[in-house]
Amino acid sequence: MIPAAGQFRARQTFLPEYIRRAIKLPQMDLEYTFWQMVNLCLDPKRVYKNTSYHKQTKNQWARDDPAFTVLCALFLLVAAIAYTVAFRVTNPWTFLRVVLGAVFFDFVFLGALLATLTWSIANRYLRVQSLHSVEQEVEWMYAWDIHCNSFFPLFLILYVLQFLALPFLMTPGFLPCLVSNSLFLVALTYYHYLTFLGYSALPFLKDAVYFLYPVGVLAVLYVVTLILQFNCTTFALSMYFSSEPSGAALT
């Protein structure tokens, strides 16, 4: 099936319009965005039930409102600054590396990479071919929406909850290691679960359960890290702050 010229024009103009709206706060639906964020933590299936309604009204699966992306980036920015304050970062280069790295590497770059990977898998292997309906494909921006949706609960666990528990999580011993690694396991498992829900919401895809398979790998790694007493929090923060952080930095 050869896409019409209008479809190409729509794809070419959507992203610039999306970016323009991202810098215009009055054009964002913040109330609906906060509703989505709350329900992604409490009732994620309810969020994806609105996907078909959006397709009917906007003729696209992806959100045309950048509010969710903008708020995630702002929340990350605030969280990263809080970490630099907690670890008493005085070097301007380290401050910029941590703050900008959290937003542009953790969220944007890795998110775009994961969105592209899952988008490619869905379009190449999971689409249902039908002779009696219009051929459809997953929009890349919808894959980005799925990443943003999946990232927000992960952010609450690994950036907010972990921050509040840092003095305990960074102390030596098996119990802090157990709690730390359990936080990572829950956050990453829920990320994959929400990814699965996002692709399951599309009626022209099958076998979206494949997106849950990495959870098995996470479970194995979880057991291995506990046996080795490898503390994920200490390791992750050592990557941000160059040297292995010490609990004394938070006192």
Side-chain angles (χ1 to χ4, degrees):
M1 177 182 176
I2 300 176
Q7 291 177 297
F8 283 121
R9 287 193 295 269
R11 293 177 183 178
Q12 292 171 350
T13 59
F14 176 74
L15 190 56
E17 178 63 24
Y18 187 88
I19 295 174
R20 280 195 294 269
R21 292 188 62 183
I23 59 176
K24 295 181 179 179
L25 187 63
Q27 294 187 12
M28 300 183 199
D29 190 347
L30 296 180
E31 182 179 355
Y32 178 63
T33 300
F34 283 122
W35 177 89
Q36 288 181 305
M37 289 179 166
V38 171
N39 280 279
L40 283 168
C41 300
L42 302 178
D43 188 9
K45 291 183 179 179
R46 187 179 179 188
V47 174
Y48 283 113
K49 283 181 181 178
N50 290 337
T51 301
S52 58
Y53 174 76
H54 195 269
K55 173 65 175 177
Q56 294 170 4
T57 57
K58 302 288 187 177
N59 196 31
Q60 64 184 39
W61 297 102
R63 288 188 289 251
D64 58 348
D65 185 356
F68 202 106
T69 298
V70 171
L71 286 180
C72 281
L74 289 176
F75 290 159
L76 262 176
L77 183 68
V78 173
I81 293 175
Y83 274 88
T84 62
V85 172
F87 285 97
R88 301 174 185 173
V89 173
T90 57
N91 187 309
W93 165 245
T94 302
F95 176 84
L96 289 176
R97 179 170 56 83
V98 171
V99 173
L100 298 181
V103 177
F104 292 103
F105 183 79
D106 294 0
F107 179 57
V108 177
F109 176 74
L110 291 181
L113 193 64
L114 289 170
T116 301
L117 177 62
T118 55
W119 165 79
S120 178
I121 292 173
N123 279 326
R124 182 169 299 184
Y125 301 109
L126 305 184
R127 283 194 300 164
V128 177
Q129 303 295 330
S130 176
L131 299 176
H132 305 289
S133 61
V134 177
E135 184 178 359
Q136 298 188 72
E137 64 178 21
V138 181
E139 304 154 3
W140 188 89
M141 286 302 299
Y142 181 74
W144 173 257
D145 286 346
I146 291 177
H147 160 67
C148 292
N149 291 346
S150 303
F151 184 86
F152 180 69
L154 181 146
F155 162 79
L156 293 179
I157 296 172
L158 295 186
Y159 288 81
V160 179
L161 182 58
Q162 179 179 248
F163 177 82
L164 298 175
L166 278 180
F168 168 73
L169 296 176
M170 291 175 24
T171 55
F174 178 76
L175 187 57
C177 179
L178 174 65
V179 176
S180 167
N181 297 4
S182 297
L183 287 177
F184 274 80
L185 177 65
V186 171
L188 293 173
T189 297
Y190 201 62
Y191 182 96
H192 286 285
Y193 173 66
L194 290 182
T195 300
F196 158 73
L197 288 183
Y199 285 101
S200 296
L202 301 181
F204 57 89
L205 296 184
K206 63 178 181 179
D207 299 329
V209 70
Y210 289 144
F211 292 113
L212 290 176
Y213 285 6
V215 175
V217 178
L218 293 174
V220 173
L221 291 176
Y222 174 73
V223 174
V224 172
T225 56
L226 290 182
I227 294 174
L228 299 176
Q229 292 198 33
F230 178 87
N231 189 310
C232 292
T233 297
T234 302
F235 174 76
L237 291 178
S238 71
M239 301 293 291
Y240 282 104
F241 297 97
S242 299
S243 59
E244 185 169 327
S246 167
L250 298 172
T251 59

